[in-house]
């Protein structure tokens, strides 16, 4: 409980800005697709928000870092421990 109280003191609400429209930033829901037609949809959130959610990824992850500031239709190369993976941004939204 002590950890939670300390985290609450550090919480900062990130407001949506119209300049984010059409680009990937913190809080975005992003759908991506690879050359094999596999798709994934997830939300980019803080590292302490991902637990218990399969559809959230940490802003600190290689995928999120590669996606930041990308737009729909952009190609994204993600550097992973097993090599590079190429994905394409299908959609970006800031609602549910």
């Amino acid at each position: 409980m002590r950890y939670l109280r300390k985290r609450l003191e550090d919480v900062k609400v990130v407001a949506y800005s119209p300049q984010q429209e059409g680009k990937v930033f913190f809080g975005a829901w992003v759908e991506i697709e690879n050359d094999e037609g596999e798709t994934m949809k997830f939300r980019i959130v803080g590292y302490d928000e991902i637990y218990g959610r399969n559809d959230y990824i940490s802003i600190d992850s290689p995928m999120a870092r590669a996606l930041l500031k990308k737009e729909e239709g952009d190609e994204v190369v993600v550097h992973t421990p097993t090599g590079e993976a190429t994905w394409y941004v299908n959609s970006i939204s800031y609602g549910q």
Side-chain angles (χ1 to χ4, degrees):
M1 193 61 136
R2 184 172 162 217
Y3 170 76
L4 180 58
R5 274 183 261 172
K6 176 153 177 43
R7 292 293 303 149
L8 286 174
E9 293 169 8
D10 297 333
V11 169
K12 179 180 177 187
V13 175
V14 178
Y16 171 77
S17 168
Q19 288 115 352
Q20 291 174 225
E21 193 63 39
K23 293 189 177 183
V24 178
F25 287 100
F26 185 89
W29 283 96
V30 183
E31 182 183 272
I32 58 174
E33 183 175 355
N34 65 14
D35 288 329
E36 288 76 42
E38 297 172 305
T39 61
M40 291 194 295
K41 185 174 181 177
F42 47 79
R43 186 173 191 197
I44 299 174
V45 298
Y47 73 92
D48 53 351
E49 297 177 78
I50 62 173
Y51 300 101
R53 296 288 305 250
N54 292 331
D55 57 346
Y56 281 11
I57 66 170
S58 170
I59 187 76
D60 300 320
S61 69
M63 176 67 79
R65 287 190 310 232
L67 284 165
L68 287 178
K69 299 183 183 177
K70 299 294 188 210
E71 299 179 23
E72 288 182 15
D74 281 355
E75 179 179 297
V76 179
V77 177
V78 182
H79 301 279
T80 70
T82 59
E84 292 184 346
T86 302
W87 294 87
Y88 305 92
V89 180
N90 284 343
S91 66
I92 304 163
S93 66
Y94 286 89
Q96 274 288 7

